[in-house]
């Protein structure tokens, strides 16, 4: 049987967004004991983040901008995207070193959950355990960009290429896989990083750096949604562009 003690919970939140933290503290079941990135000293805020901060932490940026009809790929990274990715990475690293729970739940502070969130999550995890369906990553909500594939368990699908990381869960095997991919050595937006690990990413350079390595599932219909941007704003999109992109990255197996 699954219960709340099997779930280690993180909320990606910036220190200057105390308003969002209060909202999440009000919404989240108290028994989850959520940990907030705003309590950590990290290079997470795109409004104050610099390239020097990134380098000081030992991170490097993936050469992101390419000639493409995709507007997200034909512009440089934004500091907010970098900070968001590093905040998610900090959650994974903390879960590996400080936790032993079989499931790691990560929510962003603009996630929308219902009063029955925890009971529905636990019920879904129990059904997956009973069906003995192995998975590493479970989307609780997302933006669909490519078709999904049916799964053998009702109300779950195998996700196609999807964006957004406002609600997902990792198993211990999934946690190992995302850390083994070493996002901090070639930072990309986290909502491009996760699908690269379970699909053949359409960008060949991203696919080469982050080859498939996880089994993914998704709640369908979603368990978590997201506040509209015109209500919550966007701490990533409202941040400045990184002024000068990294030009090299280590190939898989390189140093």
């Amino acid at each position: 049987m699954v219960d709340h003690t099997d779930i280690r919970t993180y909320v990606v939140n910036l220190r200057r967004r105390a308003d969002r933290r209060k909202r999440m503290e009000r919404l989240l079941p108290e028994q989850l004991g959520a940990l907030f990135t705003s309590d950590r000293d990290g290079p997470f805020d795109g409004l104050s983040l610099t390239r020097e901060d990134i380098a000081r932490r030992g991170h490097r940026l993936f050469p992101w901008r390419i000639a493409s009809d995709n507007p997200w790929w034909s512009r440089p990274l934004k500091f907010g995207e970098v900070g968001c990715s590093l905040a998610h990475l900090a959650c994974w690293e903390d879960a590996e070193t400080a936790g032993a729970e079989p499931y790691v739940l990560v929510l962003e502070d603009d996630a929308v959950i219902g009063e029955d969130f925890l009971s529905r999550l636990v019920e879904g995890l129990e059904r997956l355990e009973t069906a003995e369906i192995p998975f590493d990553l479970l989307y609780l909500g997302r933006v669909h960009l490519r078709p999904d594939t049916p799964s053998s368990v009702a109300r779950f699908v195998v996700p196609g290429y999807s964006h957004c990381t406002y609600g997902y869960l990792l198993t211990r095997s999934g946690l190992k896989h995302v850390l083994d991919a070493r996002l901090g050595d070639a930072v990309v937006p986290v909502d491009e990083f996760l699908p690269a690990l379970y699909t053949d990413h359409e960008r060949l350079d991203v696919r080469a750096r982050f080859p498939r390595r996880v089994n993914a599932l998704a709640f369908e219909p979603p368990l978590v949604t997201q506040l509209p941007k015109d209500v919550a704003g966007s701490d990533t999109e409202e941040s400045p562009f990184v002024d000068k992109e990294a030009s090299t990255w280590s190939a898989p197996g390189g140093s």
Side-chain angles (χ1 to χ4, degrees):
M1 294 289 290
V2 179
D3 66 28
H4 68 276
T5 63
D6 295 317
I7 303 170
R8 188 173 182 87
T9 303
Y10 293 89
V11 178
V12 174
N13 170 250
L14 301 176
R15 287 179 178 172
R16 62 181 169 84
R17 295 310 304 263
D19 55 327
R20 288 193 179 190
R21 176 167 182 155
K22 289 178 180 178
R23 188 187 74 87
M24 291 301 292
E25 288 175 332
R26 185 176 68 253
L27 291 177
L28 277 170
E30 185 176 348
Q31 60 264 46
L32 283 177
L35 302 166
F36 287 76
T37 58
S38 46
D39 291 329
R40 298 177 60 93
D41 180 22
F44 306 145
D45 193 337
L47 293 187
S48 57
L49 185 61
T50 66
R51 291 181 65 88
E52 290 71 27
D53 294 329
I54 298 166
R56 192 178 305 116
R57 298 279 179 153
H59 301 306
R60 291 177 292 173
L61 304 182
F62 186 84
W64 184 249
R65 187 177 187 176
I66 61 172
S68 173
D69 292 335
N70 186 321
W72 306 107
W73 298 349
S74 61
R75 63 156 174 79
L77 288 172
K78 291 197 169 189
F79 277 115
E81 293 172 317
V82 175
C84 182
S85 291
L86 295 180
H88 282 262
L89 177 60
C91 295
W92 307 334
E93 291 174 338
D94 185 78
E96 181 195 39
T97 58
E101 298 87 345
Y103 300 112
V104 177
L105 169 64
V106 181
L107 298 167
E108 293 178 346
D109 61 9
D110 58 352
V112 177
I113 63 174
E115 292 183 0
D116 59 350
F117 166 74
L118 183 54
S119 62
R120 290 177 61 198
L121 176 59
V122 166
E123 187 271 337
L125 292 174
E126 287 182 343
R127 287 194 292 113
L128 290 174
E129 285 194 359
T130 300
E132 298 183 346
I133 303 297
F135 71 95
D136 304 301
L137 166 67
L138 175 61
Y139 278 113
L140 310 186
R142 66 209 157 98
V143 174
H144 306 66
L145 296 175
R146 295 291 182 270
D148 298 329
T149 303
S151 81
S152 58
V153 181
R155 299 195 296 279
F156 290 97
V157 297
V158 178
Y161 174 57
S162 303
H163 267 184
C164 293
T165 53
Y166 51 80
Y168 63 91
L169 181 142
L170 294 168
T171 62
R172 281 284 148 182
S173 62
L175 187 63
K176 181 182 186 302
H177 286 313
V178 297
L179 290 172
D180 285 350
R182 302 184 65 84
L183 174 61
D185 289 351
V187 180
V188 298
V190 66
D191 60 353
E192 295 274 12
F193 171 73
L194 287 183
L197 300 187
Y198 67 83
T199 65
D200 290 327
H201 201 282
E202 293 181 11
R203 278 186 58 162
L204 297 182
D205 56 345
V206 174
R207 187 188 305 181
R209 179 58 182 81
F210 301 111
R212 294 175 64 164
R213 63 179 71 208
V214 307
N215 294 317
L217 292 172
F219 272 92
E220 192 59 44
L223 186 59
V224 177
T225 57
Q226 186 178 34
L227 288 173
K229 296 301 182 191
D230 59 354
V231 172
S234 173
D235 289 317
T236 55
E237 284 302 308
E238 293 168 8
S239 67
F241 288 114
V242 172
D243 55 344
K244 192 175 184 180
E245 292 187 282
S247 59
T248 60
W249 55 274
S250 296
S255 60

